[in-house]
């Protein structure tokens, strides 16, 4: 792999720009950190199905994006999840072109259902690990159904006389075989990603955006276990159990993110927020059920030397006061739908803010409209530092000329000093 | 009076109490249509008003809707003739072709049913032709289209065009949708959330 002196320099300049913005200092210019999902693949003319079923093709498509665009933080092909490998598992809550979605150009989609029922809180609270292994995993992955027979927690003393023989069952063996095969294929994919990450650094000069991913403890329970409507009802119908489960999950969520960042050796942890939006609960409910555990999670990540990038999906107009309660200069809030002027006013001295360039504008607007929107954001949010340019939500089918307009205006108009 | 008790229990989201009060009302000889209109639906109307005034939020609405459903399950089989007698109108709802997301659409359906509308749910990934077919079959006054992805917004345009001839009113919604987009594709209205979708349905039906 070639080591390119310009790339090295660009890499360092980009990273410094981002680190300055996080520390609430003025960098040389506003950093560009668009979270691109399907966009690079559409841009290169690759279908999502091709990208998901041949990760080398996905890598080649991403090459074109990085040759033409130079963001200050970038994503490797991790978001083109490997279709063939996921097929092994027979995943229930995910569909993609090649598995459940007809159009090869469609983005993959998440299918929400109740993977934990309202009467299972006690079981979850008694032993989350056993619940996840014996209930959540078999319900989520058809090919791992055999894991429901395992009850290793009962192995103490001569308990193993009862718990080990189950490995003789065909269903258990099939599931374990699937896991071995999965691990082998997954490690190949990780090797590929690791190579791509080096290429990003050494050839394109783009720092990788993520070290690990995470979720708010409330979403951990709400997204793939209870589901939106059920967990909102739980707020009214079984608030104590819900709170107990969130409390139980908080250290687990912290541990998972810290372990992920340790494994990658990179400190940026992207935390995708879902169910705390304005439309789904009151300010009081947010303050009781959603925020305390998220705040603790953020604090513990910061204490571990990590930088949480809180990716705030949906509308958060009424949550700003809460978001102040984090360590100063250590956190990024990347917003979708919010009054950025208000966000700057309330959060400006505490956290770096980013995001808010509307995806519909990027898909259906004109370059001039994009430029005008970005200029306004820069006028309002850039002064004093602590601002990064990003789209509102992850970008799929934006018009290339609109993405170019966002990059151009940020490079030219977002300059603090020459 | 028992109908007021049904209404109050529903507003509190007390499903068990709604069920027992509905049974009591039936035992007392009250007409099923009265239980629905003056008990359950009038309770949901209060819920709608309080939600709009931000006195209550989605969790309260959802437990009330759940209580309403529990009451309806008891009364509905006893209605004589078409169930739509007790309905304010029919709405066909669906997520457009290529899009499998249904959380937003389902919230709208819960709110519409809670407000006394008869809802035909076409589910997710519904092609324009499926909407056209459903309009022929069910004769709704309003069709609601949902999409979460920017890539499937184009399907909304196709569907609105396909429905143009039928004269049915079309409302759209979903995370990336804007009023401007709704106007551009010739939809009759845009609702940013589930409660506004109910207001919009009333407006499109001239119910004020």
């Amino acid at each position: 792999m070639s080591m390119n002196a310009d790339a090295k320099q660009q890499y360092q300049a980009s990273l410094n720009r981002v680190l300055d913005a996080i520390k609430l200092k003025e960098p040389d210019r506003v950093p560009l950190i668009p979270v691109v999902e399907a966009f690079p693949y559409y841009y290169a003319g690759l279908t999502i199905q091709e990208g998901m079923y041949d990760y080398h093709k996905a890598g080649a498509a991403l090459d074109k994006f990085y040759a033409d665009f130079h963001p200050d933080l970038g994503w490797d092909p991790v978001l083109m999840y490997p279709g063939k490998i996921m097929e092994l598992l027979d995943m229930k809550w995910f569909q993609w072109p090649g598995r459940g979605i007809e159009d090869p150009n469609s983005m993959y989609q998440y299918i929400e259902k109740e993977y934990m029922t309202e009467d299972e809180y006690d079981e979850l609270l008694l032993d989350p690990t056993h619940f996840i292994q014996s209930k959540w995993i078999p319900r989520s992955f058809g090919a791992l159904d055999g894991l429901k027979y395992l009850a290793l927690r009962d192995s103490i003393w001569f308990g193993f006389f009862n718990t080990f023989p189950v490995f003789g069952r065909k269903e258990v063996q099939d599931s374990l075989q699937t896991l071995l095969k999965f691990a082998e294929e997954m490690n190949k994919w990780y090797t590929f990603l690791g190579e791509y990450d080096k290429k990003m650094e050494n050839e394109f000069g783009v720092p990788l955006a993520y070290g690990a991913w995470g979720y708010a403890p409330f979403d951990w329970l709400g997204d793939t276990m209870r589901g939106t409507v059920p967990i909102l009802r739980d707020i009214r119908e079984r608030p104590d159990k819900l709170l107990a489960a969130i409390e139980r999950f908080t250290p687990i969520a912290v541990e998972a993110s810290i372990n992920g960042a340790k494994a990658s050796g990179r400190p940026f942890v992207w935390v995708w927020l879902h169910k705390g939006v304005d439309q789904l609960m009151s300010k009081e409910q947010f303050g009781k059920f959603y925020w305390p555990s998220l705040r603790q999670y953020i604090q513990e990540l910061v204490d571990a030397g990590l930088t949480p990038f809180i990716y705030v999906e949906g509308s958060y107009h009424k949550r700003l006061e809460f978001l102040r309660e984090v360590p100063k200069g250590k956190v990024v809030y990347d917003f979708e739908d919010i009054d950025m002027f208000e966000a700057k006013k309330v959060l400006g001295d505490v956290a770096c803010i980013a995001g808010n360039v509307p995806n519909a504008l990027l898909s259906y607007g004109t370059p001039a409209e994009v430029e005008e929107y970005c200029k306004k954001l820069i006028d309002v949010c850039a002064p004093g530092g602590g601002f990064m340019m990003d789209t509102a939500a992850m970008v799929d089918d934006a018009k290339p000329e609109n993405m170019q307009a966002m990059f151009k205006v940020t490079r030219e108009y977002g300059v603090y000093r020459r | 009076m028992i109908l007021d008790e049904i209404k109050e229990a529903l507003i509190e989201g007390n499903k068990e109490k709604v069920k027992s009060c509905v049974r009591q009302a039936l035992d007392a000889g009250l007409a099923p249509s009265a239980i629905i209109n003056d008990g359950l639906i009038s309770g949901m109307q209060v819920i709608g008003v309080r939600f709009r005034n931000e006195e209550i939020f989605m969790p309260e609405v959802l437990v009330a809707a759940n209580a309403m459903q529990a009451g309806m399950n008891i009364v509905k089989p006893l209605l004589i003739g078409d169930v739509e007698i007790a309905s304010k109108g029919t709405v066909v709802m669906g997520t457009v072709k290529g899009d499998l997301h249904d959380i937003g659409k389902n919230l709208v359906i819960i709110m519409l049913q809670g407000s006394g509308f008869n809802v035909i749910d076409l589910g997710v990934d519904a092609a324009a032709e499926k909407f056209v077919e459903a309009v022929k079959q069910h004769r709704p006054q309003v069709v609601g289209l949902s999409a979460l992805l920017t890539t499937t917004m184009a399907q909304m345009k196709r569907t609105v065009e396909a429905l143009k001839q039928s004269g049915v009113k079309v409302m759209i919604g979903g995370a990336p949708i804007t009023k401007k987009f709704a106007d551009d594709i010739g939809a009759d209205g845009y609702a940013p959330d589930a409660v506004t979708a109910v207001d919009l349905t009333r407006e499109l039906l001239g119910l004020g």
Side-chain angles (χ1 to χ4, degrees):
Chain A
M1 199 162 292
S2 67
M3 285 283 264
N4 175 329
D6 284 350
K8 208 78 199 150
Q9 200 181 3
Q10 200 186 350
Y11 177 92
Q12 205 49 55
S14 285
L15 198 57
N16 289 344
R17 211 167 273 148
V18 170
L19 292 174
D20 279 348
I22 295 167
K23 284 184 224 151
L24 309 177
K25 293 199 302 194
E26 285 190 353
D28 57 345
R29 70 157 166 79
V30 169
L32 267 160
I33 60 157
V35 184
V36 286
E37 196 176 37
F39 177 75
Y41 309 96
Y42 290 143
Y43 177 69
L46 190 75
T47 67
I48 301 303
Q49 186 160 357
E50 282 175 297
M52 291 185 74
Y53 279 84
D54 185 339
Y55 42 78
H56 294 284
K57 275 190 188 167
L62 206 47
D63 286 352
K64 178 167 167 52
F65 172 73
Y66 285 124
D68 295 352
F69 292 84
H70 298 275
D72 294 306
L73 286 181
W75 293 77
D76 59 16
V78 67
L79 295 171
M80 278 298 106
Y81 303 134
K84 217 189 213 158
I85 308 178
M86 294 193 304
E87 265 185 22
L88 286 173
L89 300 178
D90 181 20
M91 280 172 88
K92 300 296 181 193
W93 41 260
F94 214 60
Q95 306 262 283
W96 60 88
R99 229 289 306 259
I101 295 180
E102 214 178 292
D103 178 1
N105 247 325
S106 164
M107 236 352 227
Y108 46 73
Q109 299 178 37
Y110 167 64
I111 311 296
E112 192 182 278
K113 283 206 182 78
E114 275 186 78
Y115 290 94
M116 167 189 156
T117 57
E118 62 185 40
D119 52 5
E120 288 178 329
Y121 271 97
D122 288 338
E123 207 181 324
L124 176 78
L125 285 166
L126 173 68
D127 184 348
T129 305
H130 183 69
F131 183 82
I132 291 165
Q133 168 243 302
S134 66
K135 295 276 170 74
W136 187 82
I137 290 176
R139 288 170 188 172
S140 295
F141 308 101
L144 303 182
D145 188 58
L147 296 189
K148 70 185 176 199
Y149 299 108
L150 298 181
L152 294 179
R153 70 175 176 195
D154 302 336
S155 304
I156 305 287
W157 262 107
F158 279 89
F160 73 92
F161 270 25
N162 296 322
T163 59
F164 290 2
V166 88
F167 286 98
R169 276 186 88 125
K170 184 166 184 314
E171 299 96 319
V172 176
Q173 289 176 356
D174 286 349
S175 292
L176 294 177
Q177 289 299 340
T178 300
L179 277 172
L180 291 179
K181 180 84 187 134
F182 175 80
E184 199 180 303
E185 293 296 326
M186 200 67 179
N187 286 331
K188 282 187 207 158
W189 186 55
Y190 279 140
T191 303
F192 158 76
L193 289 179
E195 281 163 7
Y196 199 89
D197 297 344
K198 285 197 201 104
K199 189 177 187 179
M200 279 175 66
E201 179 173 344
N202 297 327
E203 279 184 41
F204 300 120
V206 177
L208 190 60
Y210 72 95
W213 297 355
Y215 301 90
F218 185 96
D219 290 335
W220 199 312
L221 194 65
D223 286 349
T224 62
M225 299 184 87
R226 294 291 289 126
T228 307
V229 169
I231 201 167
L232 292 178
R233 267 198 227 118
D234 291 343
I235 284 179
R236 295 292 305 182
E237 290 173 349
R238 48 196 71 79
D240 296 340
K241 287 194 175 164
L242 175 58
L243 281 173
I246 291 166
E247 200 181 316
R248 195 77 201 257
F249 263 119
T250 306
I252 300 175
V254 170
E255 179 193 71
S257 294
I258 291 177
N259 284 347
K262 262 190 201 155
S264 73
R266 295 184 302 263
F268 295 166
V269 180
W270 287 74
V271 185
W272 319 100
L273 300 193
H274 295 138
K275 307 224 185 305
V277 296
D278 292 330
Q279 291 87 349
L280 294 185
M281 59 180 83
S282 72
K283 214 167 162 176
E284 289 69 30
Q285 287 160 341
F286 182 84
K288 186 173 178 188
F289 293 92
Y290 199 93
W291 177 244
S293 53
L294 176 57
R295 180 188 173 187
Q296 189 189 335
Y297 169 86
I298 291 172
Q299 180 69 53
E300 292 196 33
L301 257 50
V302 171
D303 290 346
L306 305 176
T307 306
F309 279 62
I310 311 296
Y311 200 76
V312 186
E313 299 191 72
S315 153
Y316 253 61
H317 295 266
K318 297 168 191 160
R319 314 296 191 220
L320 280 175
E321 286 300 328
F322 293 102
L323 302 186
R324 273 190 66 79
E325 301 167 351
V326 294
K328 190 178 167 179
K330 304 282 188 190
V331 176
V332 179
Y333 288 115
D334 197 336
F335 289 112
E336 178 171 358
D337 176 14
I338 203 156
D339 176 344
M340 287 295 269
F341 186 72
E342 199 58 29
K344 179 73 178 177
K345 224 164 47 184
V346 177
L347 299 173
D349 62 334
V350 175
C352 178
I353 59 173
N356 186 249
V357 181
N359 289 54
L361 185 66
L362 292 165
S363 294
Y364 296 95
T366 64
E369 287 170 325
V370 172
E371 193 177 312
E372 193 195 327
Y373 198 97
C374 293
K375 270 189 177 172
K376 261 188 223 156
L377 278 181
I378 291 169
D379 286 342
V380 169
C381 302
F387 172 64
M388 300 196 273
M389 186 65 75
D390 186 12
T391 56
M394 297 170 117
V395 190
D396 291 334
D397 64 332
K399 286 183 196 159
E401 62 268 31
N402 286 344
M403 287 294 277
Q404 275 147 3
M406 185 178 89
F407 273 70
K408 186 163 176 281
V409 71
T410 308
R411 283 233 171 73
E412 289 170 3
Y413 191 75
V415 171
Y416 291 96
R417 54 176 190 272
R418 302 226 175 247
Chain B
M1 172 184 166
I2 189 72
L3 289 177
D4 289 330
E5 273 183 59
I6 293 174
K7 187 172 155 182
E8 286 311 312
L10 184 135
I11 293 167
E12 286 164 26
N14 190 336
K15 185 164 85 177
E16 293 313 314
K17 194 166 174 202
V18 166
K19 285 200 279 193
S20 71
C21 289
V22 164
R23 286 200 190 93
Q24 241 177 289
L26 287 170
D27 289 345
L30 281 160
S33 60
I35 295 173
I36 292 174
N37 290 323
D38 304 330
L40 299 170
I41 290 179
S42 74
M44 278 309 282
Q45 269 164 355
V46 174
I47 289 286
V49 170
R50 289 188 185 172
F51 185 87
R52 268 185 289 274
N53 294 339
E54 299 194 0
E55 293 164 47
I56 60 167
F57 289 81
M58 222 30 161
E60 291 75 25
V61 172
L62 292 172
V63 290
N66 209 23
M68 158 120 186
Q69 210 51 54
M72 285 297 265
N73 289 344
I74 299 172
V75 190
K76 244 188 175 172
L78 306 175
L79 278 174
I80 298 158
D82 197 335
V83 266
E84 287 174 37
I85 288 168
S87 144
K88 290 204 178 93
T90 298
V91 182
V92 164
M93 286 288 305
T95 304
V96 295
K97 185 170 167 56
D99 207 320
L100 307 178
H101 298 95
D102 62 2
I103 299 170
K105 174 196 62 109
N106 290 346
L107 289 175
V108 173
I109 290 175
I110 288 170
M111 290 306 296
L112 283 171
Q113 286 173 335
S115 307
F117 291 96
N118 178 37
V119 180
I120 310 293
D121 183 5
L122 300 186
V124 297
D125 195 18
E129 300 74 42
K130 193 168 175 185
F131 280 98
V132 170
E133 196 46 50
V135 166
K136 274 188 200 146
Q137 192 188 338
H138 301 285
R139 301 264 149 224
Q141 289 78 22
V142 176
V143 171
L145 309 180
S146 172
L148 184 77
L149 303 169
T150 49
T151 44
T152 51
M153 286 165 70
Q155 278 296 328
M156 287 185 150
K157 184 167 189 256
R158 258 205 83 215
T159 310
V160 167
E161 279 162 9
L163 289 170
K164 202 146 261 171
Q165 290 207 320
S166 69
V168 71
K169 304 273 189 195
V170 182
M171 63 177 177
I172 68 171
I177 311 299
T178 59
K179 169 88 170 58
K180 184 179 180 304
F181 179 77
D183 293 341
D184 287 350
I185 66 168
D188 297 289
Y190 154 72
D193 59 62
V195 169
T196 314
V198 175
D199 293 344
L200 181 59
T201 304
R202 282 184 212 281
E203 196 188 306
L204 293 174
L205 284 171
L207 295 173

